[in-house]
Amino acid sequence: EVQLVESGGGLVQPGGSLRLSCAASGFTFSSFWMHWVRLAPGTGLVWVSRINNDGRTTNYADSVKGRFTISRDNAKNTVYLQMNSLRADDTAVYYCARGPFDFWGQGSLVTVSS
Amino acid sequence: DIQMTQSPSSLSASVGDRVTITCQASQDIYNYLNWFQQRPGKAPKLLIYDASNLETGVPSRFSGSGSGTDFTFTISSLQPEDIATYYCQHYHNLPFTFGPGTRVEIK
């Protein structure tokens, strides 16, 4: 059974940092691109970032470029999202999703507030 | 960036009704379109990929059609468990933008 489990969310002050993790199981992790998508309160889904299967290619939404970094450890079947210089408008539930967007984690809430 | 629009933004229908949602892309995305269902507090669920292909395990009352810039998502007979927000998303190029969502409620 494919499972994606996010962790690392929480409350952080503006300008602070947080690292999200997404642990994968039930499939050959190293064969798939992985994505992060977020859902902010009262808004819709927004694609944030993606990473290719070997970690050498990464892409970001303009709104997070230069502040967020996606990475992966195929030995640990885990994808990460390092979030720096956090702003109030980064407040959202962050989901990891497998490449074709066919499986998603349950989400991790990030709240940026003083 | 490709902009995605959806209509209506919300709808209310009776159990058994046929429900149709439209999605329009700001430029040609061929058939690179997903449809997702998101129930409150839950993760999005892929229902339709490549505009018209039903994801494995998804009930056949869900269907999608279209290509280019205009797409349609249909629930042939609305069920109580279909209460959710539905999103289209293109994957023609980056960024993979989503539509604003359509909230479906039971009348």
Side-chain angles (χ1 to χ4, degrees), chain B residues 18-82:
Chain B
R18 183 181 186 87
V19 168
T20 299
I21 299 168
T22 62
C23 174
Q24 187 168 58
S26 60
Q27 63 189 71
D28 190 346
I29 59 169
Y30 303 90
N31 67 332
Y32 298 129
L33 187 91
N34 288 328
W35 287 97
F36 296 93
Q37 175 193 68
Q38 186 169 32
R39 297 185 174 112
K42 299 296 186 181
K45 176 184 178 182
L46 179 64
L47 301 179
I48 303 287
Y49 64 94
D50 292 347
S52 61
N53 290 313
L54 194 67
E55 176 70 356
T56 302
V58 173
S60 59
R61 65 179 180 275
F62 297 101
S63 65
S65 65
S67 65
T69 60
D70 295 298
F71 302 87
T72 300
F73 173 81
T74 301
I75 307 173
S76 61
S77 176
L78 187 67
Q79 299 301 303
E81 60 267 30
D82 299 336

Side-chain angles (χ1 to χ4, degrees), chain A residues 45 47 59 95 101 104-105, chain B residues 38 42-43 89 94 96 98:
Chain A
L45 296 167
W47 175 82
N59 303 102
Y95 299 95
F101 297 98
W104 295 61
Chain B
Q38 186 169 32
K42 299 296 186 181
Q89 178 216 24
L94 293 174
F96 298 149
F98 292 82

